Amino acid sequence: MTFTKYFSVAISLLVIVPIFFLIFESLLIESDVLAHIIKYELTANLRNTFALTISVCALSAVIGVYFAWITTRYNFYGKTLFEKTLILPMAIPAYVYAFIYVGLLDYSGSFQSWLRPLMSYDDNLIHIRSLPGLILILTFSLYPYVYLITKSAFKSISQNQFDCSRSLGLSSRQTFFKLCLRSIKPWLSGALLLVAMECMADFGAAAIFGIDVFTTSIYKSWFGFHSIASASFLSLFLIATALLLVFIKSQFDGHNLTAYKTEVNNEPLSCLTVTRSKNMCLFLLSLIFTILTFIIPALQLIIWALEIDNISYIYNFLKYSFNTILLSFLGALACALTTFFLISGKRLYFKKSNLILKLQDWTLPIGYALPGAVLAVCIFLFMTFLKDLTGLTLATSSLVTLTLAYLIRFIAVSYNKINNDNKRIPKSYDEVAQTLGLTGLSQIYRLHLPLLKKSFLVGFILTFIDICKEMPLTLMTRPYGWDTLAIKIYEYTSEGEWELASLPAIAIVVIGLIPIVMLSKSSGAHNELS
Amino acid sequence: MSYLEIKKLQHSYPKSEEPTFSNISLTLDKNSTLAIIGPSGEGKSTLLRCIAGFENIQDGSIQLGENYLCKSTNSSLSTNLPPEQRNIGIVPQNSCLFPHLTISENIAFGLFKLNKSERETRVNELIEVMQLTKCRNSYAHETSGGQQQRAALARALAPKPKLLLLDEPFANLDNELKTHLHDFLNTALKQEGITTIMVTHSQRDVEKLAKHIVELKDKKMNILK
């Protein structure tokens, strides 16, 4: 019991303590450095980050809600296929989109090289490396969050509700705006919060586009100017902005989601058959979007990969793949095992909710909400403190540090999965097991492990995939010689080597497709995914 | 002339070989209440949906007052008003209150053509009749089944519909609550002077509320009272 308590508190503290180091460090910032940051960094960062976040949220909302609505409400050619293809962009990280479209549309890219002679024009036709370009790329990558979540929300509206609204004098269009759109507001705001957080946390895409945002400035401050204080200050600013967004969202929601469960006897919204011309329009729109967000990027990656004929590159690719798999395995195992013991401890020793459990539930998701670049600064400060305190030569960039960083960042992924499944297992199972003589470890081994092994495995896989795709945290905390596929993408694309970046990108996209295929095959895929 | 006149109505679902019902005729006077009874699956609710405009008819006509709501000859609809233009209120079996709105906002939902003060007056009037004052600012999930059903009734009555359709409105409620709601409904319908059609399986609902009774059985309609 005592060990379980200490373990639970230790893990909770592990997640939040590094943030206090960040706050403390940022207070130590020198006045001239602060003045420099405010004058040269903060204004541009604020402008770019806010313009980026607001625009991507607005575009994602329009695109995501539109596709969620048409695939829920209308029958059109290829609808079943498009329902799946519209979520495929989730498999492509924003930084992969970024280098594909920069490589394709930049001045020296294949598209402009083909177009310029046709138009007898020698200047840059498409300024892809710009804020609007980055907005478009991040929208491609992030709109599926809105699509999935609002599609699930539209399913909670019943046909009866829709009919009641029509009988009260509202046309179909008015009913969409006054009833459907308003009733999905809590889901939409939740999805937009996710999109906004992802936008603010993005490092790779902004770095490839050369746009200054908070995360790139944190990286530059630390590794370019070697000023950990200014990196901490910028990180703190980013955390404050994220908290502000969470506060705005909570104000926007008004009331909780439990009200929205579709009543058992209510039919979901029925699918309407549309006219031939509308059918064709919906089909073409969905097709064009699928081409832009998945087919073109996938084809471009394959074309670039086929151009590679360097054997030593292939050897290095295998080495980086091995590093990625090993690091992801270690990180995912640490997350899944820690979660499993936390959950088992909870089942065994905490009969009722108490302060420790509340602390655990409150702190564990924090790591996932923090941008990777910010967390890297937190971890560095925390490990430096431990080094000073113990005198041990704990390297700030070691496998232990990196695994710890992954644990803090990704434990929420496995915890959410395993904890949700755990809640479905009745407590009476434990009581029966105890009457049959099973206690402590034997109860974990003979009862909890068999019951939760599937959740454990799914939690492990989801975390593994997230770590494979992770870039800024790995970039800033990895030990020497431990480059991963994501890091190589960053390095190759920094030098404009699109072809060399293609193979690691394909590997990451294929890994990213696993949960999408896995979950879309199971029933209620949209609910599971969202 | 009758207020509601249904003539030789026929309906089929798109993929069904058999019609749901055919050659249904019915008349109803103003301010009276009709109960439609009959076994499940005979098309009672479908008939209500045809009157409300949610289902297309294959043949026949429905006339309310002097206007045709829908008219079809040889499977071609010559008139078919959309539901929002029919001015028909509907109360489904499970109230279907909009979850993102409070009780008073639900009642005000269909009053968008009125100005603010007219809207408030109408909502207050119905809240008083239906005794919903205590829960006017609550959301549907925060209220009891009886309050939800009364709110759904108030919402349907708010725009002063020409016809009210009740689809098993008390099916999920206990007997005590049913008796209570029968009284409410009787008061409200008299006060508002509204013609009503109710689909029900309950003998008590019929006894308490209906002036006329028809049975829909074997795709045919029989007048019982």
Side-chain angles (χ1 to χ4, degrees):
Chain A
M1 174 69 175
T2 317
F3 172 77
T4 313
K5 266 187 189 172
Y6 284 137
F7 185 64
S8 179
V9 173
I11 296 295
S12 303
L13 292 180
L14 187 66
V15 176
I16 51 169
V17 163
I19 299 171
F20 291 113
F21 284 93
L22 183 82
I23 297 168
F24 183 71
E25 183 68 26
S26 58
L27 293 176
L28 298 178
I29 192 166
E30 290 160 11
S31 56
D32 53 335
V33 178
L34 183 65
H36 173 87
I37 289 177
I38 291 171
K39 192 173 179 185
Y40 297 106
E41 299 275 347
L42 218 50
T43 322
N45 281 340
L46 272 176
R47 193 183 55 233
N48 286 344
T49 306
F50 280 114
L52 185 71
T53 307
I54 290 166
S55 309
V56 172
C57 281
L59 273 176
S60 300
V62 172
I63 295 168
V65 169
Y66 179 76
F67 281 117
W69 178 247
I70 64 166
T71 52
T72 307
R73 191 64 175 142
Y74 301 115
N75 270 323
F76 57 94
Y77 301 131
K79 180 192 134 176
T80 319
L81 179 70
F82 290 129
E83 276 181 325
K84 291 184 173 67
T85 58
L86 285 166
I87 57 173
L88 289 178
M90 285 187 106
I92 307 178
Y95 58 81
V96 172
Y97 266 122
F99 89 77
I100 291 170
Y101 273 99
V102 166
L104 194 65
L105 300 178
D106 214 6
Y107 183 81
S108 55
S110 46
F111 184 71
Q112 284 211 49
S113 304
W114 167 78
L115 196 63
R116 268 197 309 273
L118 288 178
M119 295 183 72
S120 307
Y121 191 75
D122 207 35
D123 274 353
N124 195 0
L125 289 163
I126 305 163
H127 294 274
I128 186 70
R129 284 181 201 253
S130 59
L131 192 59
L134 184 58
I135 289 167
L136 191 73
I137 291 310
L138 283 179
T139 305
F140 281 177
S141 172
L142 299 175
Y143 87 89
Y145 286 109
V146 181
Y147 166 74
L148 273 173
I149 292 171
T150 55
K151 189 169 169 68
S152 161
F154 280 135
K155 283 182 177 170
S156 73
I157 299 170
S158 71
Q159 184 60 41
N160 270 344
Q161 287 171 346
F162 200 88
D163 290 347
C164 277
S165 169
R166 298 286 308 276
S167 74
L168 290 165
L170 279 80
S171 65
S172 292
R173 187 183 291 265
Q174 285 171 319
T175 300
F176 171 75
F177 285 107
K178 282 195 77 175
L179 172 66
C180 302
L181 210 51
R182 280 192 63 189
S183 69
I184 64 157
K185 206 173 74 175
W187 281 277
L188 183 59
S189 62
L192 290 180
L193 179 70
L194 269 177
V195 172
M197 296 282 225
E198 290 281 346
C199 267
M200 291 197 306
D202 173 70
F203 167 80
I208 290 167
F209 273 70
I211 305 282
D212 280 334
V213 289
F214 272 105
T215 47
T216 54
S217 290
I218 292 167
Y219 182 75
K220 265 195 284 184
S221 299
W222 186 0
F223 291 93
F225 307 127
H226 301 287
S227 170
I228 194 74
S230 56
S232 303
F233 181 80
L234 288 167
S235 300
L236 203 60
F237 213 87
L238 196 54
I239 292 179
T241 317
L243 286 175
L244 181 72
L245 279 177
V246 173
F247 175 74
I248 292 171
K249 194 245 174 214
S250 69
Q251 296 299 305
F252 192 62
D253 271 359
H255 50 283
N256 68 43
L257 292 170
T258 51
Y260 290 81
K261 283 179 185 164
T262 307
E263 290 156 60
V264 179
N265 295 329
N266 275 351
E267 287 283 313
L269 277 174
S270 55
C271 250
L272 302 178
T273 307
V274 290
T275 58
R276 209 184 157 99
S277 56
K278 192 169 180 182
N279 197 334
M280 196 45 89
C281 281
L282 296 179
F283 168 77
L284 284 175
L285 207 64
S286 307
L287 181 68
I288 290 167
F289 214 73
T290 304
I291 290 172
L292 283 174
T293 56
F294 193 76
I295 296 175
I296 288 180
L299 280 177
Q300 183 61 72
L301 283 180
I302 292 167
I303 291 167
W304 277 333
L306 290 174
E307 288 170 10
I308 300 167
D309 54 1
N310 187 336
I311 296 295
S312 66
Y313 169 82
I314 303 289
Y315 167 75
N316 283 333
F317 168 73
L318 292 175
K319 193 175 109 190
Y320 303 133
S321 302
F322 174 76
N323 287 350
T324 308
I325 290 168
L326 186 63
L327 291 178
S328 304
F329 180 83
L330 284 176
L333 193 66
C335 290
L337 278 178
T338 309
T339 303
F340 181 74
F341 283 113
L342 284 176
I343 302 288
S344 278
K346 198 173 170 178
R347 286 195 76 89
L348 283 175
Y349 301 115
F350 296 109
K351 302 294 177 199
K352 287 176 186 167
S353 177
N354 61 15
L355 195 66
I356 294 174
L357 288 185
K358 279 181 187 162
L359 180 75
Q360 187 177 300
D361 285 345
W362 184 77
T363 53
L364 293 191
I366 289 177
Y368 199 61
L370 287 178
V374 173
L375 191 61
V377 179
C378 294
I379 296 284
F380 175 80
L381 293 169
F382 180 57
M383 295 307 278
T384 310
F385 169 78
L386 283 183
K387 186 178 153 190
D388 294 344
L389 187 75
T390 59
L392 291 171
T393 49
L394 278 164
T396 43
S397 291
S398 68
L399 274 185
V400 177
T401 311
L402 191 55
T403 310
L404 192 69
Y406 286 149
L407 178 68
I408 296 172
R409 174 103 169 95
F410 294 108
I411 192 166
V413 180
S414 57
Y415 187 77
N416 278 348
K417 177 64 194 160
I418 302 175
N419 195 32
N420 282 341
D421 290 351
N422 170 58
K423 282 178 187 166
R424 291 179 198 152
I425 301 171
K427 283 191 174 167
S428 53
Y429 284 21
D430 288 273
E431 289 161 4
V432 171
Q434 278 164 10
T435 62
L436 294 169
L438 265 74
T439 51
L441 280 176
S442 63
Q443 206 171 336
I444 292 176
Y445 181 69
R446 292 190 57 196
L447 183 71
H448 299 166
L449 192 60
L451 287 172
L452 290 169
K453 67 180 177 194
K454 202 176 164 191
S455 321
F456 180 84
L457 191 66
V458 175
F460 174 84
I461 292 171
L462 292 176
T463 318
F464 180 90
I465 290 160
D466 260 2
I467 298 176
C468 281
K469 296 186 330 192
E470 208 289 326
M471 185 194 273
L473 184 61
T474 316
L475 183 70
M476 296 185 197
T477 27
R478 74 192 191 284
Y480 179 76
W482 282 90
D483 286 350
T484 62
L485 293 171
I487 302 303
K488 291 319 286 181
I489 292 176
Y490 173 76
E491 287 179 359
Y492 289 137
T493 52
S494 306
E495 292 155 20
E497 301 269 22
W498 317 125
E499 293 84 2
L500 297 182
S502 64
L503 214 50
I506 289 175
I508 283 176
V509 172
V510 170
I511 291 168
L513 282 171
I514 296 169
I516 292 171
V517 174
M518 199 167 77
L519 294 175
S520 66
K521 274 188 179 173
S522 66
S523 59
H526 287 104
N527 290 334
E528 280 276 346
L529 279 166
S530 47
Chain B
M1 189 185 154
S2 303
Y3 183 61
L4 174 74
E5 197 162 346
I6 296 174
K7 277 187 192 165
K8 295 182 177 176
L9 205 65
Q10 184 179 317
H11 173 273
S12 307
Y13 282 106
K15 285 175 186 168
S16 169
E17 289 172 10
E18 294 258 309
T20 324
F21 47 73
S22 61
N23 208 19
I24 294 258
S25 295
L26 177 73
T27 57
L28 189 62
D29 292 334
K30 200 167 183 179
N31 298 345
S32 56
T33 304
L34 168 78
I36 304 176
I37 60 169
S40 298
E42 289 290 332
K44 299 187 297 294
S45 295
T46 307
L47 177 60
L48 289 196
R49 291 178 62 79
C50 288
I51 299 170
F54 299 124
E55 294 289 336
N56 286 340
I57 57 167
Q58 271 67 53
D59 209 355
S61 65
I62 303 173
Q63 191 179 357
L64 186 65
E66 292 179 353
N67 303 320
Y68 276 104
L69 302 180
C70 55
K71 196 174 180 182
S72 174
T73 34
N74 301 326
S75 300
S76 147
L77 279 163
S78 53
T79 310
N80 189 23
L81 282 182
E84 63 270 21
Q85 290 175 22
R86 295 190 180 203
N87 199 6
I88 292 175
I90 192 163
V91 180
Q93 189 176 334
N94 34 20
S95 78
C96 269
L97 291 177
F98 304 132
H100 62 297
L101 302 177
T102 61
I103 295 295
S104 58
E105 286 168 343
N106 259 288
I107 297 171
F109 191 83
L111 302 174
F112 57 95
K113 286 175 186 162
L114 304 185
N115 65 36
K116 200 182 171 191
S117 66
E118 287 172 333
R119 200 160 56 225
E120 274 175 11
T121 311
R122 181 70 178 144
V123 170
N124 289 337
E125 196 180 303
L126 284 160
I127 280 182
E128 203 173 311
V129 173
M130 296 292 173
Q131 294 185 8
L132 291 165
T133 316
K134 280 183 186 170
C135 61
R136 61 177 300 151
N137 295 321
S138 307
Y139 290 95
H141 71 284
E142 295 164 346
T143 59
S144 67
Q147 285 169 329
Q148 288 178 21
Q149 211 60 15
R150 286 191 329 247
L153 200 59
R155 184 181 63 185
L157 292 172
K160 298 189 176 168
K162 288 179 183 168
L163 181 68
L164 181 65
L165 305 175
L166 308 172
D167 191 358
E168 299 191 49
F170 313 119
N172 295 329
L173 305 175
D174 59 52
N175 285 337
E176 199 182 332
L177 207 53
K178 266 187 191 182
T179 314
H180 197 53
L181 280 170
H182 285 151
D183 298 339
F184 268 107
L185 190 57
N186 266 327
T187 315
L189 291 181
K190 272 182 197 154
Q191 200 166 322
E192 301 280 329
I194 288 175
T195 313
T196 308
I197 299 180
M198 171 178 63
V199 163
T200 183
H201 282 110
S202 158
Q203 191 62 34
R204 271 185 71 193
D205 290 353
V206 175
E207 285 167 8
K208 289 276 182 182
L209 298 167
K211 190 176 168 189
H212 306 287
I213 309 164
V214 292
E215 185 187 32
L216 193 56
K217 196 176 178 185
D218 302 327
K219 305 182 196 315
K220 298 276 178 260
M221 189 165 271
N222 309 309
I223 298 170
L224 301 181
K225 183 179 166 189

